[in-house]
Amino acid sequence: MLSNQKGESVLDRAVVEPDGPNDHLIEHQETVDTGIHLSKRKRLSGKLKSLLHVSDDQVNVASNADCVTLASSPEVASGERRLDGSTPPTLGPQGLQQVIQRPVETIKAKTQRKTNKEVAANLLSPEVTHAQDVELIHAQDSLNNVQTSDEKAKAYEDLESLKKARQDLFVRWTMDRHVLKLRRLKNKTTLERRRRDSGSEPKTENLELGWKAHSRRLVLQQAEKYGGHYIGSFAEPPPASQETVSASVERLLIASTPWQELVMHIRRIYRWENRKETSAYLLAFTILWAYGMLSATACLALIAQVLRRRFEKPSVEKLRQDVRRTEDSLSTAHTLSEQIEKRGAQSWIDPLIEDMGDWLLLQLGDMANLLEILLNFYEWRQPARTAWTLVWFSLGCIAFYLTPVWLLVKGMSLFSGLTFFGLFPIASWYPEYRLLVSPIKWLLWDIPNHAEWAIARLQAEGRRQAKQVSNKPESYAELHGSYTCSSAKHSGRLVVTSEGIQFQPFVASHNQWNVGFNRIERMEKVSVKVLLSVNTVVQIGSGKDLLFYDVDGSSYSASNVANRDEVFTQIVGYSNVRWQVVG
């Protein structure tokens, strides 16, 4: 079994022989010791481990140092972390003055940075890290610059070892973090023998039930024979916890890295960031659409891309370009791993929120609005609009039924192209017009979301109450509410009437203001907050303020308004003005 080659000899010895040459002496010594001596020795060993900060895992690794590791954990790159020789951006230690002045915010920020660093460590430890990319590029440069044959052989050996280390790192990351339970699959021979032993005919008095059970057993046997490795796969997930959920999210983010790059590339195309490239895609789409070859070309492109990956290996120069783009802090990150490498492991989340926060909130708001619109459409909150929408849907169904399939496919593909090359750029560059060019909004035109329906409901109730008090004296009919507040540091009352709002100070000499409903251009609930950082927000003021703008651009503020939300609702209901929700 032993071989003359060194590697095979070590492998055979590790498999056949025990861990060490003196294992029989250790075993004999343990049989001589008494239980008391053994317990004292364990306690002493535990104290020494805790005193020296040595864990049991480290002891096990040290004792098994001679074992062969199928996929060893590559060492952290000792060279430069970046291609230009710089180090990733990090945050310096917190000063004592900052800790004393803002202790709570400082502790929260430190905890947040620790969490960011842990997430970054998990996301940057998958298949290949940035440091290993840099090391591989340096190894390739060394191979290109060597002179003698011996140096070339040594450089080539180092390069191959780095390539193997990249695969080992991927194996270690997958097995250590995402593989917890295994079970042995039955081979096909065992399944065939079990099927023969079960008999070919059902042995039961009830022939019909027997054949059903026999057929069911045959189907299950065939399914287990040809697809047994898919039956019960990941059927026993670990208990749900923050660590297990974060591991699954981490796995999803890493697996979606190529798709993240694809999405960013598609975004650059429909935004016309490179007009020549987008024009080329538009020309190709037009020609293929005219000849009816869009579907066939898409399938051929997919096959060609997969075959290209098989025969055209990624070059070091392409890797060098990717590394330089990753290290360029001014360029846009194509993946989450690039974002972490650009901004640093401790502070990558803050720039991500700053760059994508507004866009993400806009997308989440549009998604929530769409779901609310669909619900209100189904609930007939606006019966006339729902009825008209159903009429248009019916006409569309009739048109689909009468239109030939080839013409239907032609028209849908043309509409898809116009949407991608025409409507998407408008929605991306001019977000205020995004709903106006949304095909989904066209289908559900004027169906309100919850906020729009609530405003309509309030104004209907306001008109109903206005009719009830129309026969009362004018002094009682106009007043709808009076609330304590302050304006320009003067205390008073904010009065809501049927004509508008006015501020009446307690001291008559102070200025008062009056704004009619027909002159209000905009009104806001104001909670003044100062954003010191993404993790630190300081609120200034009561958080119960109202701000009004008239058609002339003048502004009027009311601070610390009692029952502010009720005042806001009354103004909306009694104003009889068409309002648009902008925030």
Side-chain angles (χ1 to χ4, degrees), residues 13 66 77 83 260 264 303 353-354 374 412 466 481 527 547 581:
R13 186 175 66 248
D66 293 336
L83 195 61
Q260 297 172 26
M264 294 298 295
I303 296 173
I353 295 177
E354 292 175 0
L374 291 174
M412 293 181 64
S527 297
L547 182 61
V581 180

Side-chain angles (χ1 to χ4, degrees), residues 364-379:
L364 293 176
D366 289 346
M367 186 179 299
N369 287 333
L370 176 60
L371 296 177
E372 292 174 358
I373 288 172
L374 291 174
L375 180 60
N376 292 336
F377 164 77
Y378 180 76
E379 296 290 342

